[in-house]
Amino acid sequence: MAKINQNYLQLQGSYLFAEVARRRNKFISENPNAQVISLGIGDVTRPLPEAVVKSLHDSVDEMAEANTFRGYGPEQGYEFLINAIIENDYKARGIELKTSEVFVSDGSKCDVGNIQEIFSADSIVAVQDPVYPVYVDTNVMAGRSGAFDKEKNQYSNIVYLTCNKENGFVPELPKSKVDIIYLCYPNNPTGMTLSKEELKKWVDYARSNKCVILYDSAYEAYIQEDDVPRSIYEIEGAKEVAIEFRSFSKTAGFTGTRCAYTVVPKELLAYDEDGNSVPLNDLWNRRQTTKFNGVSYITQKGAAAIYSEQGKAQIASLVDYYMTNAKIIREGVASLGIEVFGGVNAPYIWLKTPNGLGSWEFFDKLLTEANIVGTPGVGFGQAGQGYFRLTAFGSRENTEKAVERLSKLQF
Ligand code: PLP
């Protein structure tokens, strides 16, 4: 008899986006003439940069010729891309990495989801609340979550690090023992960041407590302010305790093209049952070479073009486009007297719902009165109740229209 992985029964339905879609569709069917603007999902809308497109075309042509055709490539990624990543994203900021420390993949979602496999099943996991749901669900699947408490909207064995306006969206260090800490900066969903000094506290904590930090910086390209760290490895000692995830999805419009990378430093150690240290780089390499066959040559060529002079200029203007949207939303919402966070170093704007409205009540008000779809903060965790996320990934036209509609609302 085939038995299921019982842990899957602990998963909560992917309620958030299904419920957003249900309410949106119901509204549209009842109001067929309404022009609904979506500032809800975190997907990009601008096309790939020209330099990337050219490189993709050229590499397709290479694959068409017998003497330049390629079959399986290295599971860890081609050196031309890994070297470009190290030179531009790290060395240029004073961080030295070895080629064997960078693993190219087809997306950060897989990497942040799969990484937990190399840790013990009884590890205690800490996540920020609100949280990118993949961190939680993949640990539920692996049996680390304990039971779900419907009242609390939380799993009993997961440690939740509250991020709200009261603590300036800077989580407190865990009060109980944890082994693995997920940090996401710039943060999805709040759009907030940590200063170097604040991040240093986490690195120091992890070093003192033999924890590993899983540092997701999918939105690094959106950082505008100088004192915001772009990599956790800017902090002394971080290579001993942190894995860093980066993605080309939001940096260069790769959400549909798929390419990302993960850095696992050689110095990073975790421990076996007898307390002996084991390098995590070896384990991740073993995992990837067993279960993953690499990103296509064509895609990696496309990604490498981001690091050409033209590519750099084009992605800078892409980021600038979305960050101008972020500014328009941020200032538009603030001018209504609504408290607004994020949107300065990230493409997400996190607002405090006015008059104590719940996240879903605010969602309904925006949908029915302004025909705008956003994302209720409570869908990212209990600490998101009373907050709401808008994204800057829409077109300029829709962003401006949405802000104009918001300005006519009565709160
Ligand atoms: N990490 C965070 C915090 C994200 O918000 C996303 C995408 O929305 C991802 C990872 C996934 O990125 P990718 O497209 O590389 O799988």
Side-chain angles (χ1 to χ4, degrees), residues 35 37 39 328 370 372 395-408:
Q35 300 286 309
I37 296 175
L39 298 181
I328 292 169
I372 296 168
S395 67
R396 180 64 44 76
E397 194 193 345
N398 276 349
T399 303
E400 284 172 345
K401 231 188 258 173
V403 169
E404 196 192 313
R405 288 187 196 172
L406 278 175
S407 69
K408 298 194 177 119

Side-chain angles (χ1 to χ4, degrees), residues 42-43 105-112 132 134-135 184 186-188 216-219 245-250 254-255 258-260 348 389:
D43 197 0
S105 79
D106 59 357
S108 281
K109 187 177 191 176
C110 336
D111 289 350
V112 296
Y132 178 56
V134 176
Y135 314 148
C184 176
N187 189 263
N188 178 14
D216 184 347
S217 58
Y219 299 94
F245 304 88
R246 293 256 187 116
S247 172
F248 297 108
S249 282
K250 309 295 160 71
F254 268 61
T255 52
R258 313 301 303 142
C259 199
Y348 294 117
R389 191 190 77 173

Side-chain angles (χ1 to χ4, degrees), residues 198-249:
E198 287 154 353
L199 186 55
K200 184 177 181 308
K201 285 187 199 153
W202 287 91
V203 170
D204 291 348
Y205 176 87
R207 290 174 84 185
S208 317
N209 292 280
K210 294 190 170 163
C211 307
V212 170
I213 297 175
L214 302 176
Y215 193 75
D216 184 347
S217 58
Y219 299 94
E220 173 274 338
Y222 290 85
I223 295 172
Q224 312 285 312
E225 295 179 324
D226 287 341
D227 66 331
V228 176
R230 288 180 168 258
S231 164
I232 193 165
Y233 306 123
E234 287 175 33
I235 312 296
E236 199 196 327
K239 281 189 183 174
E240 294 162 28
V241 289
I243 294 178
E244 180 160 284
F245 304 88
R246 293 256 187 116
S247 172
F248 297 108
S249 282

Side-chain angles (χ1 to χ4, degrees), residues 1-65:
M1 182 171 63
K3 287 194 172 174
I4 61 157
N5 175 349
Q6 193 75 12
N7 300 321
Y8 274 59
L9 300 184
Q10 292 286 347
L11 288 166
Q12 301 306 297
S14 54
Y15 173 74
L16 176 61
F17 288 102
E19 182 61 15
V20 166
R22 192 190 70 75
R23 292 190 192 206
R24 178 181 192 269
N25 295 342
K26 181 167 177 283
F27 178 77
I28 291 174
S29 73
E30 288 165 4
N31 303 274
N33 296 326
Q35 300 286 309
V36 174
I37 296 175
S38 176
L39 298 181
I41 56 163
D43 197 0
V44 294
T45 52
R46 305 292 294 162
L48 290 169
E50 267 174 52
V52 170
V53 174
K54 173 155 190 338
S55 184
L56 290 171
H57 280 299
D58 291 349
S59 52
V60 169
D61 289 341
E62 282 184 63
M63 293 296 264
E65 299 294 332

